[in-house]
Amino acid sequence: MPDSKFTSVGNVKSVAKTENTLDFVCEHGRVRVAVLSDAIIRVRATQVTDFGPDFSYAIAKTKWPKVKTDVKTAGNTVTIATKKLRVNITKTPLRIEFAKPDGTILSRADARGMGWEDAKCRTYRELAKDEMFFGCGEKTGQMNKRGQSFGFWNTDSLGHTYLHGEIYVSIPFLISTRGYGIFWDNTHRTFFNLGHGDESRYFLEADAGEIDYYFFAGDVKEVVRTYTELTGRMWLPPRWALGYHQCRWSYLSADELLDVARQFRRRKIPCDVLYCDIDYMDGFRVFTWNPKTFPKPRALVAKLAKMGFKVVTIIDPGVKNDDGYAVCRDGKQKGMFLKKADGSGWFTGNVWPGECVFPDFTNPRVREWWSGLHKDFLATGVAGIWNDMNEPAVWNHPGGTMPLDIPHDYDGQKATHARAHNVYGFNMTRTCHEALRTLRPNERPFLITRAAYAGIQRYSMVWTGDNQSLWEQFAGSIPECLNLSLSGVAFCGPDVGGFSRNCTGELLARWTQAGAFFPFFRNHSAMGTRAQEPWTFGKEVEDVCRKYISLRYQLLPYFYNLFREATQAGTPIMRPLFWEFPNDPHGYAVDDQFLLGPALLVAPVIKPGAGQRAVYLPAGNEWYDYWTKQKHAGGQYVTARAPLDTLPLFVRAGSILPMTRPIEHTGQKTDEIILDVYPGKKTSGYLYEDDGESFDYERDAYSLTNFTWSDGKLRVNKKKTGYRFAAKKYRVLVLSETA
């Protein structure tokens, strides 16, 4: 990236201190350094005389307790010290260095510092020789992002590959193995160069606006915890959302959807959720049903509910430009849609319905109006909403989206689409979430979105968009979802089997095996491709799919524990090996395996025709093969047998896995919990329980039970007993033998 026109902020001309904030007036702008906590520093810089409004869609926590800081000036350096950080700021020229309290350098500015190249804002930082980067949201390619460069610009990217740097979600947040993280909070098109072309430095930039970043000190766990404290954490989803989901573009009629439901029940394949893609609508008009193919939606949803299925429907942002259509007519009368840059009329663009108008979701009035449109729609009994095409995709304009000069309200700040683009889908999904919370106040919402910005975990889960039925995309979904999980979005997953192209039976079997251990588990395929429901490739593949979907349901108590952990501390549900084993250097390079929570190591078979694979077992623990119960030492590769019906799966010694008997959907209740015990030096586990539907758990209506195993005995410690329907019986399995 050329920087011949780059101008740094220059020398400090004056310094002012207000509580935990230092303001520096410089030769070419202003810089503000604020202490939010012992481990979080915020840095802002502007090239004009004063800062703009302090506003961000990403930030959930804006008020912080006062932090004890020690500010000292010695010669050319101002130092800010907290319990966990020391910030050294040189004045001629201004450069910022972050260090541990003992002086160990975490990150320091490159000689160029920070500043501007015309409208672009940029910060340069030194890149240590051993430094690796993770996070960065939804990015393709290997998990370690060092040496890569990529943009953050939400893009409708059908058929994307590992070569595409910009896809559906923009989360400009990185985690360094040097003991820090940085969240670059600028919604203009953003670019990270993490040592590509010059291994001595990296830089972060945006096309316009202020430099505004947060620096987090700590190891990976601490950085994720504090980042999600700042940007918010997910709520507990309804328990049914943890089950298996089935989707296709499209099940074209109510009869077809019912037939799919009957097939699942007849074949004894567990499933909780069926989806209606765009063809359920009347001419792709959002908030409508096709009167010919889905004539009685309320009766359809009720019939499926009796069979144990929830229905999730897609809603896109494009509103058909048809004055005979109530949503369009009402929206125009109330001024809800975006206008052209010159104000001469409504902005229009083509999507599925043809010519469309688009709501301005950055306007509070529009969000309230759109929220209200859900009332009659949800009255049919639809359980969840799927927001798609919300990058936003606009097919007949350059770049596949709106022109960058389209004006938006931006919550009263007035901005163009250049600034609003990356938060368009975020605000659409936020609106839907708030609608569900308002209309069903004590029922947990379920939302799925394709486009998002940092902080989306407060409102929705994220699926990784329109992938392809390719082994490379199956393999790539592992590091993609691991980094998304590290970026605050713990509830995520790909389309199992792949969306576009034709899946094969072997690929579906292997992808279903792995998908059973991802947080989100949905099979989804595109119109014109071969059907890929679990039974479509014959008995052998169907049996494999049934086995692993059933195992997912047996593990739901363990999954539920992990989802609860995500709500408490932003903890990923699927985790890279280094999350649990930071001192094992080999774990940083392994991105074709993952941990499900602390106890399960999942090693998918990601190559066709393979009957075995090498599995790395992290050092510092012993591991049991889940299928054979053979115990292995950690810190080594082992060869795991993997015929088509076997996914290499290992359990960490010292774990107690809470499980349940096989069920076909989450509406089937059981009061017995199976405790699968894998003895180690210290053997323990726990079980979190609540009603799985309401927000009563926020009012202490939950139970928490700890288990320990020693000397051949199970010890039960009930820490919390607020959920009165908690499990009453425990069946203990020690390895494969009943104790």
Side-chain angles (χ1 to χ4, degrees), residues 659-661 663 668-674 687 689 718 723-731:
M659 300 178 69
T660 188
R661 64 174 176 80
I663 54 176
Q668 295 176 337
K669 306 295 184 183
T670 175
D671 64 354
E672 179 184 68
I673 293 293
I674 300 165
L687 177 66
E689 298 169 281
K718 294 185 178 295
Y723 177 52
R724 59 195 183 97
F725 298 107
K728 303 296 190 296
K729 296 183 291 184
Y730 303 113
R731 180 153 54 98

Side-chain angles (χ1 to χ4, degrees), residues 58 71 95 107 338 349 356 414 424 437 441 580 605 662 708:
V71 180
R95 300 288 184 265
S107 174
L338 291 163
C356 291
K414 309 305 177 186
Y424 188 86
R437 289 298 303 265
E580 295 289 338
V605 176
T708 56

Side-chain angles (χ1 to χ4, degrees), residues 233-238 315 361 367 370-372 374 378 383-387 425-441 443-449 455-461 695 697-698:
R233 295 179 181 136
M234 64 177 288
W235 71 102
L236 261 178
I315 293 180
F361 293 112
R367 294 198 294 267
W370 189 262
S371 177
H374 290 76
L378 292 174
I385 300 295
W386 169 16
N387 285 166
F426 174 100
N427 277 298
M428 179 189 182
T429 305
R430 165 193 179 181
T431 303
C432 182
H433 176 98
E434 291 170 350
L436 289 167
R437 289 298 303 265
T438 299
L439 296 166
R440 298 172 176 174
E443 185 176 327
R444 299 179 205 171
F446 174 73
L447 287 95
I448 169 174
T449 185
I456 189 62
Q457 64 271 8
R458 305 197 302 270
Y459 305 118
S460 177
M461 62 78 55
F695 285 94
Y697 70 89
E698 294 180 345

Side-chain angles (χ1 to χ4, degrees), residues 494-530:
D495 281 340
V496 167
F499 176 70
S500 64
R501 296 179 178 255
N502 290 315
C503 194
T504 66
E506 183 187 9
L507 178 56
L508 181 65
R510 292 303 194 187
W511 208 328
T512 302
Q513 289 173 344
F517 298 92
F518 277 67
F520 180 57
F521 188 20
R522 181 179 78 158
N523 178 319
H524 184 207
S525 57
M527 182 180 293
T529 66
R530 177 171 179 171

